[in-house]
Amino acid sequence: MVARQLHLVRHGEVHNPERVLYGRLPGYRLSELGQQMAEAAAADLAGRGIRFSALYASPLQRTQESAAPIAAALQLPVQLEPRIIEPANHFEGKRMREALKQPVNWPALVNPMRPSWGEPYKSIAARVIAAMNDAWETASLLDDGSEGDVVMVSHQLPIWITHRFLAGDRLWHDPRQRRCALSSITSFSRFGGTFVETGYTEPAASISANAVDLGAV
């Protein structure tokens, strides 16, 4: 085991003029503000005075674009990790306020604890934690033989569900109460084979007042 900490980074603001829930839909890139947010996350990581051994990102465009300034700042290649992708969702491509008024969509709402509109919360937690474990255990030693941290660029729901699962909290929750801001960094270490959260920061907080965050599942 060569990693010291593992950091889950959320992507920056997405260009979403239609204000739909974009989920896994292709073509949703970072906005100009989102690019600035990603750069703020990169600067935060690079300024911590620690060394990094690996950088992963989900396959979606917004996470790949958010990983790019981190890759430049840390001088690491971006490795693809499909297991930290956004979950699929019945409401992808829809404006939620309008969709909730349509009876055709109501069956997707019958079980918010699972949830019935998409991938089960337990499944999300299992795949993200499996990816974290693999990244932790396979991180390469640095040139001088020392340990380095791992960065994984993902999405709000996978990060928040992983937080809740590892904290022993119930997985169903009010999406409006998630503590996982755009370009936030949630950090973990591993003790006795179990990840424990060690920190949470919002490097882009000073520029996020006017950010639009409507696309998360």
Side-chain angles (χ1 to χ4, degrees):
M1 303 178 190
V2 298
R4 298 181 304 175
Q5 287 193 97
L6 187 149
H7 310 276
L8 295 181
V9 180
R10 190 184 172 202
H11 61 79
E13 183 193 56
V14 175
H15 179 69
N16 182 18
E18 301 87 4
R19 300 200 171 193
V20 301
L21 192 152
Y22 39 73
R24 291 186 180 181
L25 295 175
Y28 280 87
R29 58 176 174 82
L30 293 184
S31 64
E32 291 185 10
L33 178 59
Q35 293 171 0
Q36 296 173 27
M37 290 178 163
E39 290 167 2
D44 180 281
L45 291 167
R48 294 190 178 198
I50 56 179
R51 299 178 70 186
F52 297 84
S53 59
L55 169 62
Y56 298 85
S58 103
L60 296 178
Q61 183 174 350
R62 58 189 180 273
T63 40
Q64 291 290 312
E65 291 179 351
S66 295
I70 299 174
L74 303 184
Q75 298 184 348
L76 288 171
V78 181
Q79 302 180 59
L80 193 66
E81 178 47 85
R83 290 175 293 182
I84 60 174
I85 195 172
E86 187 89 272
N89 189 289
H90 171 82
F91 293 100
E92 284 179 358
K94 299 179 173 64
R95 295 184 180 91
M96 287 303 298
R97 288 188 178 181
E98 298 173 5
L100 293 176
K101 298 175 183 178
Q102 300 172 1
V104 67
N105 293 318
W106 293 351
L109 302 169
V110 296
N111 185 1
M113 296 183 184
R114 182 180 183 268
S116 50
W117 54 79
E119 182 181 0
Y121 291 137
K122 289 183 179 179
S123 171
I124 299 170
R127 61 177 169 82
V128 174
I129 292 171
M132 292 169 65
N133 276 315
D134 286 349
W136 183 277
E137 294 173 359
T138 61
S140 300
L141 285 172
L142 300 172
D143 293 341
D144 61 0
S146 63
E147 301 170 346
D149 287 17
V150 174
V151 179
M152 308 186 86
V153 185
S154 184
H155 309 266
Q156 186 188 67
L157 183 56
I159 295 172
W160 184 239
I161 285 298
T162 298
H163 156 82
R164 294 185 70 87
F165 182 90
L166 293 172
D169 296 336
R170 69 169 189 258
L171 299 186
W172 60 273
H173 61 281
D174 183 344
R176 297 169 296 182
Q177 302 301 315
R178 293 173 185 163
R179 186 218 61 187
C180 189
L182 292 162
S183 290
S184 61
I185 303 172
T186 307
S187 302
F188 300 84
S189 193
R190 198 170 78 165
F191 303 95
T194 301
F195 282 103
V196 177
E197 187 171 320
T198 54
Y200 172 79
T201 59
E202 297 182 5
S206 64
I207 59 172
S208 64
N210 296 318
V212 177
D213 190 9
L214 296 177
V217 174

